[in-house]
Amino acid sequence: MKLWIYPLMVVFAASCYGTLSTMVKLSIRDGYTASEAIASQYIMGFLLALVIYLVTQRKIPRLHGGFKIILLAGIFTATTGIVYGQALIYLPASLAVVMLFQFTWVGTLIDCILRKRLPTRPEVISLIILFIGTILAAGVLDVDLSGIDWRGWVYGFAAAVSFSFNMNVNTKQVEGMNTTTRLLFVSFIAAVMIAIFQTPEIVWNGKLFMEPLFFYGLALGLLGIIVPIYFFVIAVPKVGGAMSSILSAMELPVAVVVSVIVLSEALSGLQIVGIVVILIGMCIPTLASISKSKKRQATLGK
């Protein structure tokens, strides 16, 4: 059973990310801009991390080592949200999701380069299946691609690259630093980045602490900062950057299902097929890894 814990944590963290687009759309319906929603996510995420740290640690946080890892994690956490938000300006939402989900193969490529290895056969098969499933689940087969601003493609791919680097940075552990302390520092750096590039004025004009933006910020901060970072920090080093990128594809099916349930968006038969295909693609490397571990344990036990 223990072999399943860490992959499931990655899947759950990615599923939390899948709820964010729907919450942002709901905030826009209530009269807020996407920039205000994103800013509320990162600022409230840091405040939640601070509260958690003060309640559980009760001491002054110190960064003894691993500053580069923490800095990069915070930067990539923020830049993913920033450039993806820009991509949504120029691309249809379905196409922006497809561009973001290039992190599945980009993350695997980065992991292979860093580890100086070739992708395994299960990884290659999984990536091919995931690509097909992503196209179907996002419903982009009937989208007119002519006339789309080139900046949309650039921002969309930049979001995929940023998320991939963030996933790989999370494979690096910092000695002497627990997960709660790391969450605090990463969320602080991300909040500073967002404050520079988004709309920090929602703090000092009091808008952040008024309904309903306050509750949107709480939900976005919890599901977009606290839970994913906490789970990724624990699970990604155990699972590996490549497999974590593949398992994170769960974000798309969740995003589609939540938008259907909450926003009453249409769901076609092809999208349902795509979701099933993605789930199959996600399972292949995980099952292969577990099977390999069991064989190794059996061999050592003889």
Side-chain angles (χ1 to χ4, degrees), residues 1 143 244 292:
M1 181 65 181
V143 175
S244 295
K292 185 177 180 180

Side-chain angles (χ1 to χ4, degrees), residues 88-239:
L88 287 170
I89 296 175
Y90 302 102
L91 297 176
S94 56
L95 189 54
V97 170
V98 171
M99 291 304 299
L100 174 64
F101 267 72
Q102 301 310 302
F103 72 73
T104 51
W105 67 265
V106 173
T108 301
L109 176 62
I110 293 173
D111 185 79
C112 289
I113 293 174
L114 294 177
R115 296 175 183 269
K116 298 179 181 179
R117 67 176 181 87
L118 293 175
T120 64
R121 182 178 297 177
E123 287 174 350
V124 173
I125 295 173
S126 178
L127 289 173
I128 294 173
I129 295 175
L130 284 174
F131 180 77
I132 296 172
T134 299
I135 297 297
L136 295 174
V140 299
L141 293 179
D142 55 351
V143 175
D144 184 10
L145 301 181
S146 62
I148 292 180
D149 195 307
W150 64 270
R151 287 173 289 185
W153 302 107
V154 174
Y155 282 124
F157 188 69
V161 173
S162 177
F163 188 83
S164 299
F165 274 112
N166 186 36
M167 192 69 65
N168 277 274
V169 168
N170 277 318
T171 65
K172 311 295 183 181
Q173 294 181 314
V174 179
E175 293 186 14
M177 179 179 292
N178 60 34
T179 305
T180 303
T181 305
R182 179 164 175 163
L183 171 65
L184 177 66
F185 282 118
V186 170
S187 62
F188 172 72
I189 294 171
V192 171
M193 288 281 294
I194 289 296
I196 294 173
F197 293 101
Q198 296 295 316
T199 53
E201 61 269 18
I202 62 173
V203 176
W204 54 75
N205 65 17
K207 198 172 187 179
L208 175 62
F209 304 102
M210 298 174 63
E211 296 184 28
L213 186 60
F214 176 76
F215 294 105
Y216 282 128
L218 278 178
L220 289 166
L222 181 64
L223 297 178
I225 300 294
I226 302 299
V227 176
I229 292 179
Y230 208 92
F231 276 46
F232 279 145
V233 168
I234 295 174
V236 172
K238 304 292 185 181
V239 177

